[in-house]
Amino acid sequence: MNREQAIEVVAASLAELLERDNCLLVNDASEMAIAHKLAQYVEKHAIDLQLGAVDVDCEYNRNAVAGLGKPKRVLLLAERLEEKRREPRDPTWKDYCRATALPDIVVHRRGKD
């Protein structure tokens, strides 16, 4: 799925969510409930546009490359306070820390990164 296709899928999914499930937003339903319905529409529109096999998961946090059952991780810049004390420069690996990721919705292929 390229960028334009992803934008099309998300736009169609949000439009359908607003049309069919506006009550979730009006009634201030939980983020998880809204993410679940949106994920269903993302999967549907990806299939409708024949974008190939994708898995759409909520709260998915596993990483194929790290090994079976290992959590997904993201690199985050270290504390901004530290940056203020240094000369401006490109960040190095020392500037990053690893944090676990628990995305609300992830469009991917399970078992691949």
Side-chain angles (χ1 to χ4, degrees):
M1 181 182 313
N2 65 36
R3 186 182 194 319
E4 291 77 27
Q5 291 169 322
I7 290 169
E8 186 176 350
V9 167
V10 170
S13 300
L14 286 170
E16 189 165 359
L17 177 76
L18 290 172
E19 179 184 324
R20 297 183 67 180
D21 299 294
N22 193 43
C23 64
L24 293 174
L25 303 171
V26 170
N27 292 318
D28 198 24
S30 74
E31 178 184 351
M32 195 179 303
I34 296 166
H36 167 74
K37 290 307 295 182
L38 181 58
Q40 287 181 318
Y41 298 134
V42 167
E43 186 170 42
K44 174 187 166 216
H45 289 287
I47 291 168
D48 289 349
L49 292 171
Q50 299 177 349
L51 299 179
V54 295
D55 296 303
V56 181
D57 293 306
C58 292
E59 308 294 329
Y60 189 88
N61 69 339
R62 293 296 170 237
N63 184 338
V65 170
L68 186 62
K70 299 289 184 184
K72 286 186 181 291
R73 296 194 180 275
V74 293
L75 295 174
L76 301 172
L77 281 175
E79 293 293 322
R80 296 281 178 185
L81 294 174
E82 181 66 23
E83 288 182 5
K84 289 180 182 178
R85 288 183 266 192
R86 294 182 294 189
E87 292 289 322
R89 60 179 175 74
D90 290 335
T92 66
W93 284 106
K94 290 180 183 178
D95 296 321
Y96 288 92
C97 62
R98 296 181 76 68
T100 58
L102 192 63
D104 292 329
I105 300 171
V106 63
V107 179
H108 62 139
R109 290 201 173 109
R110 288 185 209 118
K112 305 205 181 299
D113 278 342

